[in-house]
């Protein structure tokens, strides 16, 4: 089962169209270094095993929970020196999907991270737990244990993040090419956009 999950994760990372890029070697090197740092931080994150949770202790997909614990992608953004962006997103829309962000500083960060938007969506999606499905599985022995649901959910999150780290390593060369090409095609940030934390398909959201 683990092998099949890894295959699916690798395929998910490769959903971005294959492309060649004429990006300078220095830019590729910079993106590669950032990507390697993201992977290292992501590994640190799942090894620490501290995830955002609801009031009952169940892992949930939010940028920051009531205790200030960050989701995987929020952790990467914060550790790269942009904790202010994480705080802004948490205040505006704590359940925001990064794949929907189309402009502004957060979009710029993603474009320069060395990760593709498909990979970013995969990492953020590690926190999406289907508790309804879980409760419909009466034969899972751990469900009947104290905090069994929490144990299962935490195991799912860690397993997904471990798989994501492996997939990010496998897809390095392909993803760097895609990231470099998209970065080259990204419009220059306009004065108006500098006042925008995020702009989604729905509407731009401005800082206070």
């Amino acid at each position: 089962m683990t092998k099949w999950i890894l295959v699916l994760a690798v395929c998910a990372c490769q959903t971005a169209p294959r492309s060649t890029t004429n990006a300078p070697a220095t830019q590729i090197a910079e993106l590669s270094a950032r990507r390697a740092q993201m992977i290292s931080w992501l590994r640190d994150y799942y090894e620490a095993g501290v995830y955002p949770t609801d009031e009952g202790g169940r892992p949930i997909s939010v940028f920051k929970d009531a205790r200030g614990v960050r989701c995987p992608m929020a952790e990467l953004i914060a550790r790269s020196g942009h904790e202010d962006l994480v705080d802004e997103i948490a205040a505006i829309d704590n359940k925001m999907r990064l794949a929907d962000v189309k402009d502004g500083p957060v979009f710029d960060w993603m474009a320069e991270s060395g990760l593709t938007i498909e990979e970013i969506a995969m990492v953020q999606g590690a926190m999406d737990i289907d508790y309804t499905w879980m409760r419909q599985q009466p034969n899972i022995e751990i469900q009947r244990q104290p905090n069994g649901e929490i144990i299962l959910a935490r195991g799912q999150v860690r397993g997904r993040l471990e798989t994501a780290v492996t997939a990010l390593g496998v897809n390095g060369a392909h993803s760097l090419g895609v990231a470099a090409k998209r970065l080259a095609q990204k419009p220059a940030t306009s004065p108006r956009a500098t006042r925008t934390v995020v702009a989604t398909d729905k509407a731009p959201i401005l800082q206070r």
Side-chain angles (χ1 to χ4, degrees):
M1 178 63 73
T2 300
K3 290 182 179 179
W4 278 111
I5 293 174
L6 177 56
V7 169
L8 291 174
V10 170
C11 290
C13 289
Q14 293 183 336
T15 54
R18 291 189 176 278
S19 60
T20 57
T21 177
N22 295 321
T26 53
Q27 184 183 67
I28 293 292
E30 289 173 359
L31 288 174
S32 179
R34 291 173 195 154
R35 181 183 180 86
Q37 183 65 83
M38 298 298 161
I39 293 173
S40 176
W41 284 337
L42 190 57
R43 184 178 291 108
D44 291 344
Y45 182 87
Y46 76 65
E47 288 179 349
V50 181
Y51 314 124
T53 60
D54 62 15
E55 62 279 1
R58 299 180 305 172
I60 53 173
S61 185
V62 293
F63 261 71
K64 288 202 314 182
D65 67 10
R67 300 172 300 152
V69 177
R70 297 183 286 258
C71 77
M73 280 310 307
E75 183 72 10
L76 299 187
I77 296 172
R79 290 190 67 170
S80 66
H82 297 281
E83 189 172 354
D84 57 326
L85 294 182
V86 174
D87 292 341
E88 288 285 351
I89 293 174
I92 293 167
D93 181 0
N94 205 23
K95 295 183 178 181
M96 181 178 294
R97 299 288 92 180
L98 289 172
D100 294 332
V101 177
K102 305 302 180 185
D103 199 356
V106 177
F107 182 79
D108 291 343
W109 181 91
M110 291 191 292
E112 297 167 2
S113 68
L115 305 177
T116 68
I117 189 63
E118 292 82 9
E119 292 169 335
I120 288 170
M122 176 182 65
V123 172
Q124 188 177 23
M127 296 300 306
D128 293 332
I129 304 298
D130 186 353
Y131 288 101
T132 301
W133 174 86
M134 202 179 287
R135 291 161 186 162
Q136 293 172 347
Q137 306 301 311
N139 295 324
I140 298 179
E141 182 62 31
I142 198 170
Q143 282 281 91
R144 295 190 284 273
Q145 299 179 14
N147 298 321
E149 188 174 74
I150 295 175
I151 294 171
L152 277 176
R154 289 175 59 83
Q156 280 192 14
V157 172
R158 179 175 176 119
R160 290 173 181 177
L161 291 175
E162 287 189 70
T163 300
V165 165
T166 301
L168 292 175
V170 170
N171 286 309
H174 164 69
S175 295
L176 283 171
V178 173
K181 182 174 182 179
R182 289 175 174 171
L183 181 58
Q185 295 172 339
K186 186 179 74 68
T189 302
S190 66
R192 180 179 179 181
T194 60
R195 300 194 300 272
T196 306
V197 177
V198 291
T200 68
D201 287 328
K202 298 177 181 178
I205 305 174
L206 303 180
Q207 289 183 353
R208 295 184 297 277

